[in-house]
Amino acid sequence: MAPKDNPMGGSAGGSDSRFFSTSKKGEMHELRMELHSTDRTVKVDAVKKVIASMTVGKDVSSLFTDVLNCAQTANIELKKLVYLYLINYAKSQPELTLLAVNTFVKDANDPNPLIRALAVRTMGCIRVDRITEYLCEPLGRALRDEDPYVRKTAAVCTAKLYDIAPELVKERGFIETLHDLISDSNPSVVANGVAALSEISETSGRDVMKITASVLQKLLAALNECTEWGQVFILDSLAKYTPADAREAEGIIERVTPRLQHANSAVVMSAVKVILSYMDIMSGAAHQDSIRALTRKLAPPLVTLLNSEPEIQYVALRNINLIVQKRPGILENEIKVFFCKYNDPIYVKMEKLEIIIKLVSEKNIDQVLLELKEYATEVDVDFVRKSVSAIGRCAVKLERAAERCIGVLLELIQTKVNYVVQESVIVIKDIFRRYPNRYESIIATLCDNLDTLDEPQAKASMIWIIGEYAERIDNADELLDAFLETFEEEDPAVQLQLLTATVKCFLKNPEETQDMVQRVLDLATEESDNPDLRDRGFIYWRLLSTDPEAAKLVVLGDKPVIEDDTFRLEPNLLNLLVGQIATLSSIYHKPPEAFVVRNKKGATGADDIVGDDEEGDEEEYEDENDVNRGGGDDLLDMGGLSMNDNAAAANNYGSSRLEADMFGAAASAAEPEARMSKVCAPEKSGGIELWAGFRQVSGAVKLELDVRNISSQVPVSTLAVQLNKNSFGLSPATQQIVFNPPIPAGGSGKNSVELVVNPAMLVQAPAGQPASPQIQVAIKNMTTGLVFYFAVNFAFEALFSPDGALERSSFIESWKSIDDKKELYGTVSDLPPASTDIDNVAAKFKAHHIFLIARRPVPNAEGQEVAYFSMRTTTGMVFMAELTFKNGVNAAKVCLKTEQIAYGVQAKVALETLLRS
Amino acid sequence: MIVNFFILSPRGDTIIAKTYRQKSNSSISAHERSHTEAFFRKVKFWDGVAPGTPGMDTTLGLKSGANTGGGGMMMNGEGKKEEKKRGDAPPVFVMPDGYSYMHVKRNGLIFGCATEKNVSPVVVIELLSKIAKVFKDYCGTLSEESIRKNFILLYELLDELLDYGYPQVTQTENLKAFVYNEPIVVSKVADTGKMINPKTANASAVHKPVISSVDTDGRKTSLSTNQKNEIFVDILERLNVVFSNNGYVLNSTIDGCIQMKSYLAGNPQLRLALNEDLTVGKHPSGNSAYSTTTFVDDINFNDCVNLSEWEHGRTLSFYPPDGEFIVLNYRMTGEFKAPFRIFPSIEEAADGSNNKLELSLHVRAEIPDNHFGANVVIEIPVPNITTGASCSVVSTPTAVGVHAEYVQKEKKIVWNLKKFPGCTEQTLRCKLSLGGVCTSQVKREFGPINMNFEIPMYNVSSLQVRYLKIAENMPGYTPYRWVRYVTQSSSYVCRL
């Protein structure tokens, strides 16, 4: 390689910013001349000028060929500049980029590893199909390059290629090569290998990492050698892995624990995540000591995170918020570190307050109150309000400290600072709800501050207090009367409270307040156009006029005592979020689906994945997918929804026919057979060959196992089975499988394991991606102690429940209400003759609990007929399908709609498999 | 990982922007630019509503179950209208375009990026900090000007730092082999940094880029001959102390680190030895002030540090990466001897008028007399109704640059001492006139007193560097070793 010149040398000295100052006319021409200069310094400067223009948004694409010409150089600096330019314009000038292919291919063979890597890296960034074709060759070579810099670049490039052309990556076996890179000698290569595998797993929804025992060992070995980022990637992969048992979990934790001392907080956080998620596996008394030891070990690194930059602190605090909810023991003695420093940014202070409330206990309440009181005198209004509110939450949480908290609040009310008073009133109302009839003595103090209240929420709270305790406030009616003067201007929340409080007041003291209540009811029912207010007004009115005693029972009835809401995340959500520690989910406290940009992979994308294993699941807390059961629309509306343009003609088709066909298909009573497939070869499992399949037997999902003892000298007698977390939440009802008599060598035996749905076994699907059909199974031969693993694709139809037939009307409703995005299309061809007839299909489907809802010919299309089917899983997911058949064609078009689009592919696969069988 | 990376100037101009991932359905750069602008507006005018952060609701969400007709309050904090508020935007939030934006602020510049995936925010924020650090190492200083002048270099760096949004080489040291552009040094800004330290005169030395030239075969050479062979070692301790008004310490921690910046030729292995009695873990009695052994609660190390001699001998060995780096961080809680003690008192004026107050403040330096506090600033917020104040200072003759004044605009008294000698006590007396009657409420508005200082060549903990030496004996190799201890206030507060 040629010696490197200093482009800044001599007269050129100064700065890059001079490149920006080319505003003369004809500058393009000038640049072009310079680009063709023989003087390399001029050339380099010219390319820099071009890039300068590019970065400020000027269009310099007209110089594409000229710049490209400069790539024919051995000077790496110039080359890098040209590549920088190329990436930027490859998008807008794909045709031109093709001209660069030769350069890329040539550079990919350059003796200089930097140039080889540069070529591969750049080609991966250019999303032009034809470039991609040329990429495979060099990429394959680069993955095995002798230089680690090239290998590491190639590893990332594989992920890029997967994003553009997944099938190429599969065809070329690049994923296997990536697996090899996990045990590479160079730490950066390992890091990128793991990163690429994780990325591919995420984009495809398939678990390409496939952590087996040997991969696990490789990862753990690499963990010590890897770059800091590599460590993060490895730890994140480990966090997704579920150890087979507590011992394995403990073993891995032992290897991970030293990472807690890393200076890079990303490493620390990911290590915490692994340990926390494995701690769940180590339940039971046997591991109490280990859990205790881990709890002790986790505290110092978490606290240390709070000494980092404020940005890291914020992220750490949001995570700690989850951790203290899940395992309060870890930080129970560390409350002091969450006390706010005066120079903390406001976003850190707010988060610290949240955690203080979570950690407050009777032991430290005095200390905490002292702090909160101090915070309440600071300048920042939001922070002050939150501190005041925190005092109230402490009172609600700690019964024994409630009085002290109220004392502090009263003290704060004395400051007469407007927002402090208002916030205090709001929380005191909560304290009243938590401890009814205990602290009413302070009402007088509150009433002294009525004038200060100008915010709706504070006003509403105060009015509620007045109404609730009207009998103890001498002038309750006067107070309310004062508020009533401005009734019409008030916020709806205040109006509602005023209405209720007045009614309460009336019920308690009817003589004096008759006029007032009449006035309020008039205002609410006649003057207001707020429907809530009118409704409530009318209800009260009617109650009062028909049966005042009943009104008393209703309006003055005991209200449920509120609970301490400190641990307010739902346990399911909390568990899910703890698994998401060190991700954005843990910052937003929302599942990834709620914010991750969905990558739109149309029907073709979905087709791609069919039959492949992927990871995913379905979150339980999402709105249930109950089909909307309203409406009695006739089927004629359906035409408009189906994929053909046949809306109008559908009218002609009588609905009687539809009725007749509803359940007309011949029912086949026989339980369907499981489709068995070979899942485990004898060499993996000590001479036993395993076949597995799924089916439903009288409502129960069964894992059918066919065991063939090929060469094991020890007869197979007892096996223990365990399922990894999976997209269906399936887990074995019993773990033991007993073969009686044992299967000698050469023999075979069948057995089945009942599977039950267990929400704890459910695994999260990446947002916008299909759930994985794969179920990972571990089998332990109890006699030999040998454990072997295999994965089997779940037969989704085994999960369909017998009550999956929808009402026709609700079917239509649902079909209409489902967004087009939640639709899958496909064509199944080469069907057996029996599957081209709808009656046969319906009968076959019915055996699998897939129900025919309706069928009709497609208008204006001779010989075509559509049939609608519905199915529902035992877990409550509903799928609807439209199958289109054509006379004499042994193919069917499938269109599937569901709210549970993550499982749509599987339902579709199930249909297609049944059609083909 | 991340989709793009950008640097915004304090005014919101995009100085550097790079896209690492393109969406398959074309996105135009102008479009992205508008997103960056929207992001900047969000950061600049943070209104406290993070689109994706539900944690901001301040009211108690009541799980009261069914609110039976009795009109139990509906109080879930919804519909709570907050007046527009200003404050620092949190470093992570979702924008309406569906992307999560993350950023760090360095020297007034915003280093930010966006992502569409559920990435690890810790990784991204660490990465952004690393990028800022690498840029600083390369450019010498981090400023809008230095970045603009070096933009091609920085784009080249960005290509090596990240690939497809994944962090690659992030150590200045290792980057050198792949980066060909050379930095253009920006004339040094007047900013002398916070650490004024007379014992190491060449403070500007730390502002030079760490990059040396590249030799003929394209790989980097060792340092050029005219480069000074030196290494800077700082033992930096930042104190967080809260005093009650009677001088009692309520809360105290030390955040410490050993930080280095190496300009050593040939990259020799170094050995750094700390106190042999250093113990990691909580002090059993929680009070380490008078204990002989040194306790730290927690300690963590840079990637490059070899810990084989740590357990026995408390010695670290490492090849110092170029540029600034932190060898280790440590953290101590428990009581330590606070370097300054603050004793405030507020009294109503002796003449009996109820609109005057007298404030006196004694500050005692409990450090040895051969040390001193530098650039001491003590701020005392006073009640809002204060109309004026006169300050008088009683200081020892050894104190230098003593000045106290009342700042009407900010309603506080600011007391400066350029030099606060050890083992002395300085006193400030203020007479405040109030625009109204002094009630106990008014008195509550005093404080908290906040103190900023720096103590050169002194550390509060007993952590010591026993030695720093080159591992192998290299004759004639005599680098300059600049070791300094600095104690700084982080949050040093006295409540009233």
Side-chain angles (χ1 to χ4, degrees), chain A residues 55 80 84 121 149, chain B residues 2 4-7 15-20 111-113 127-128 130-132 134-135 138 147 150-170 175 178-179:
Chain A
T55 53
K80 285 185 106 173
L84 188 64
R121 185 168 76 200
Y149 184 72
Chain B
I2 60 174
N4 63 0
F5 167 81
F6 52 83
I7 302 179
I15 319 178
I16 296 271
K18 187 164 173 66
T19 307
Y20 286 99
F111 289 70
C113 66
L127 179 62
L128 292 173
K130 286 258 158 74
I131 294 176
V134 166
F135 283 9
Y138 265 83
I147 289 175
N150 286 294
F151 80 97
I152 289 189
L153 164 71
L154 300 186
Y155 275 115
E156 187 181 5
L157 279 169
L158 282 175
D159 260 342
E160 301 296 341
L161 280 162
L162 291 155
D163 191 4
Y164 202 42
Y166 281 99
Q168 299 295 307
V169 186
T170 50
L175 275 165
F178 313 113
V179 173

Side-chain angles (χ1 to χ4, degrees), chain A residues 407-655:
Chain A
V408 174
L409 286 173
L410 286 177
E411 224 174 292
L412 290 172
I413 290 176
Q414 298 306 334
T415 64
K416 308 270 183 200
V417 178
N418 176 296
Y419 49 85
V420 173
V421 174
Q422 310 217 38
E423 197 69 37
S424 302
V425 169
I426 296 170
V427 291
I428 285 176
K429 169 216 61 195
D430 288 347
I431 297 174
F432 282 179
R433 294 262 349 238
R434 173 74 178 81
Y435 310 108
N437 305 318
R438 212 181 298 175
Y439 299 109
E440 284 71 33
S441 54
I442 64 173
I443 292 175
T445 321
L446 298 182
C447 290
D448 291 345
N449 289 286
L450 286 181
D451 306 340
T452 343
L453 308 177
D454 56 8
E455 292 168 17
Q457 216 192 344
K459 265 192 191 173
S461 301
M462 190 64 221
I463 293 167
W464 180 84
I465 292 173
I466 296 174
E468 189 70 13
Y469 297 101
E471 67 273 28
R472 308 194 196 180
I473 307 171
D474 298 336
N475 56 346
D477 49 339
E478 284 166 37
L479 294 175
L480 288 176
D481 211 37
F483 279 110
L484 282 175
E485 277 165 27
T486 51
F487 185 87
E488 278 150 308
E489 289 105 71
E490 296 291 356
D491 189 272
V494 180
Q495 292 177 337
L496 283 170
Q497 282 313 318
L498 264 176
L499 171 61
T500 306
T502 316
V503 172
K504 283 182 189 166
C505 205
F506 169 74
L507 287 169
K508 289 175 181 175
N509 183 9
E511 287 81 40
E512 319 243 323
T513 54
Q514 186 125 28
D515 291 348
M516 194 164 76
V517 83
Q518 190 57 49
R519 206 161 79 235
V520 173
L521 289 173
D522 282 344
L523 281 169
T525 54
E526 275 158 38
E527 308 288 321
S528 168
D529 47 10
N530 179 327
D532 288 346
L533 191 63
R534 291 168 66 104
D535 280 358
R536 202 186 278 187
F538 279 124
I539 289 171
Y540 285 148
W541 203 326
R542 206 148 302 165
L543 263 174
L544 291 174
S545 53
T546 42
D547 186 354
E549 281 313 304
K552 251 183 197 169
L553 283 176
V554 172
V555 180
L556 302 179
D558 281 342
K559 278 155 281 299
V561 170
I562 60 162
E563 286 159 37
D564 157 34
D565 72 330
T566 315
F567 298 90
R568 75 165 107 181
L569 287 176
E570 295 296 325
N572 279 340
L573 180 59
L574 176 62
N575 275 335
L576 182 126
L577 291 177
V578 168
Q580 293 285 347
I581 276 178
T583 69
L584 286 174
S585 261
S586 66
I587 303 294
Y588 305 142
H589 292 185
K590 284 180 181 171
E593 293 78 4
F595 60 89
V596 168
V597 178
R598 294 176 191 269
N599 47 347
K600 286 179 196 148
K601 284 206 163 192
T604 48
D607 265 351
D608 247 332
I609 296 159
V610 166
D612 278 332
D613 40 341
E614 67 229 29
E615 201 185 335
D617 88 333
E618 148 93 10
E619 60 284 346
E620 313 144 63
Y621 46 81
E622 227 181 42
D623 322 338
E624 59 277 280
N625 56 321
D626 273 350
V627 188
N628 186 354
R629 287 176 187 281
D633 277 14
D634 201 89
L635 265 186
L636 55 93
D637 268 356
M638 231 157 156
L641 299 162
S642 58
M643 46 196 179
N644 298 318
D645 50 345
N646 48 11
N651 292 344
N652 305 333
Y653 203 74
S655 58

Side-chain angles (χ1 to χ4, degrees), chain A residues 773-824:
Chain A
Q774 194 184 63
I775 294 184
Q776 292 167 333
V777 187
I779 299 246
K780 184 175 185 183
N781 187 334
M782 299 309 278
T783 343
T784 60
L786 188 70
V787 183
F788 42 96
Y789 304 88
F790 61 85
V792 56
N793 281 354
F794 183 59
F796 200 49
E797 62 270 23
L799 208 59
F800 292 155
S801 86
D803 63 348
L806 293 180
E807 288 287 315
R808 205 181 61 201
S809 54
S810 64
F811 183 91
I812 301 167
E813 271 303 305
S814 318
W815 184 272
K816 279 199 291 186
S817 68
I818 294 177
D819 199 48
D820 283 352
K821 284 175 195 143
K822 293 172 180 166
E823 233 175 61
L824 293 171

Side-chain angles (χ1 to χ4, degrees), chain A residues 170-427:
Chain A
K170 276 182 241 169
E171 263 168 43
R172 296 282 179 143
F174 287 156
I175 288 175
E176 289 69 32
T177 319
L178 283 179
H179 264 277
D180 297 341
L181 293 185
I182 298 179
S183 37
D184 198 278
S185 58
N186 182 292
S188 307
V189 179
V190 179
N192 283 4
V194 176
L197 283 171
S198 316
E199 166 92 22
I200 293 175
S201 298
E202 203 182 330
T203 27
S204 67
R206 305 160 57 220
D207 174 25
V208 293
M209 184 69 103
K210 291 203 185 81
I211 300 186
T212 59
S214 76
V215 174
L216 183 67
Q217 286 316 312
K218 277 196 229 166
L219 287 177
L220 288 175
L223 189 57
N224 292 330
E225 308 298 324
C226 223
T227 61
E228 49 194 338
W229 308 117
Q231 294 181 17
V232 174
F233 302 145
I234 292 178
L235 290 168
D236 286 348
S237 299
L238 288 176
K240 289 193 193 119
Y241 171 73
T242 315
D245 52 30
R247 227 183 54 219
E248 191 187 15
E250 219 167 328
I252 300 174
I253 287 178
E254 204 169 299
R255 304 282 290 271
V256 167
T257 314
R259 299 298 123 204
L260 293 173
Q261 299 249 287
H262 204 286
N264 186 324
S265 35
V267 178
V268 176
M269 210 67 229
S270 290
V272 168
K273 172 183 178 172
V274 173
I275 295 174
L276 277 177
S277 50
Y278 286 12
M279 273 163 89
D280 281 346
I281 296 163
M282 298 164 58
S283 47
H287 304 285
Q288 282 307 308
D289 287 347
S290 321
I291 295 280
R292 251 197 302 279
L294 283 172
T295 308
R296 261 201 308 279
K297 270 185 201 156
L298 282 174
L302 284 174
V303 174
T304 299
L305 290 176
L306 298 183
N307 289 338
S308 323
E309 299 94 349
E311 291 93 356
I312 295 283
Q313 288 187 44
Y314 174 76
V315 174
L317 286 165
R318 292 295 288 171
N319 280 293
I320 288 172
N321 193 320
L322 296 173
I323 294 170
V324 294
Q325 294 185 51
K326 171 85 180 171
R327 297 202 177 264
I330 294 178
L331 291 164
E332 63 186 356
N333 295 323
E334 303 284 352
I335 195 164
K336 265 188 162 188
V337 304
F338 298 101
F339 289 172
C340 302
K341 294 173 192 166
Y342 89 100
N343 53 351
D344 281 335
I346 183 75
Y347 56 82
V348 167
K349 284 184 176 172
M350 294 297 219
E351 294 306 321
K352 281 186 170 174
L353 273 181
E354 278 295 327
I355 292 169
I356 290 176
I357 300 168
K358 299 228 153 75
L359 289 178
V360 73
S361 68
E362 271 159 26
K363 255 195 302 188
N364 55 30
I365 177 73
D366 288 327
Q367 216 178 357
V368 168
L369 279 178
L370 213 63
E371 284 291 314
L372 293 176
K373 201 166 106 185
E374 198 64 41
Y375 301 160
T377 61
E378 287 204 17
V379 231
D380 189 291
V381 176
D382 289 332
F383 180 58
V384 170
R385 298 191 77 127
K386 198 171 171 114
S387 305
V388 173
S389 150
I391 298 172
R393 286 170 66 179
C394 289
V396 172
K397 180 174 175 177
L398 303 170
E399 186 168 357
R400 283 205 218 159
E403 194 152 0
R404 273 171 281 173
C405 299
I406 290 174
V408 174
L409 286 173
L410 286 177
E411 224 174 292
L412 290 172
I413 290 176
Q414 298 306 334
T415 64
K416 308 270 183 200
V417 178
N418 176 296
Y419 49 85
V420 173
V421 174
Q422 310 217 38
E423 197 69 37
S424 302
V425 169
I426 296 170
V427 291

Side-chain angles (χ1 to χ4, degrees), chain B residues 266-425:
Chain B
N267 200 16
Q269 191 183 21
L270 297 180
R271 285 164 59 82
L272 178 78
L274 303 179
N275 324 24
E276 276 171 317
D277 61 358
L278 189 69
T279 311
V280 180
K282 274 237 160 113
H283 192 280
S285 71
N287 178 358
S288 57
Y290 307 103
S291 152
T292 47
T293 36
T294 310
F295 281 88
V296 296
D297 285 30
D298 190 31
I299 191 161
N300 63 35
F301 303 98
N302 191 290
D303 234 2
C304 68
V305 175
N306 178 347
L307 293 173
S308 53
E309 286 172 84
W310 172 250
E311 282 310 318
H312 311 284
R314 297 297 186 212
T315 304
L316 309 168
S317 54
F318 50 92
Y319 294 95
D322 283 2
E324 202 171 89
F325 74 105
I326 288 171
V327 183
L328 59 89
N329 291 300
Y330 56 94
R331 180 168 58 79
M332 299 165 87
T333 53
E335 250 170 70
F336 49 83
K337 201 165 177 191
F340 294 98
R341 284 186 167 272
I342 305 171
F343 303 97
S345 72
I346 300 167
E347 279 163 18
E348 282 168 39
D351 62 6
S353 59
N354 57 5
N355 57 356
K356 286 206 162 57
L357 280 177
E358 270 186 26
L359 170 100
S360 64
L361 190 63
H362 307 274
V363 181
R364 201 161 64 224
E366 301 198 324
I367 47 177
D369 54 7
N370 55 342
H371 290 280
F372 63 89
N375 297 332
V376 179
V377 181
I378 300 167
E379 294 177 342
I380 310 138
V382 296
N384 241 333
I385 56 164
T386 308
T387 52
S390 63
C391 307
S392 67
V393 187
V394 187
S395 53
T396 57
T398 44
V400 178
V402 186
H403 176 71
E405 64 173 343
Y406 167 65
V407 186
Q408 170 72 23
K409 209 171 75 194
E410 295 167 52
K411 299 282 184 200
K412 66 182 179 189
I413 294 162
V414 181
W415 182 15
N416 287 296
L417 299 101
K418 281 243 149 49
K419 190 170 171 185
F420 193 139
C423 286
T424 63
E425 183 173 304

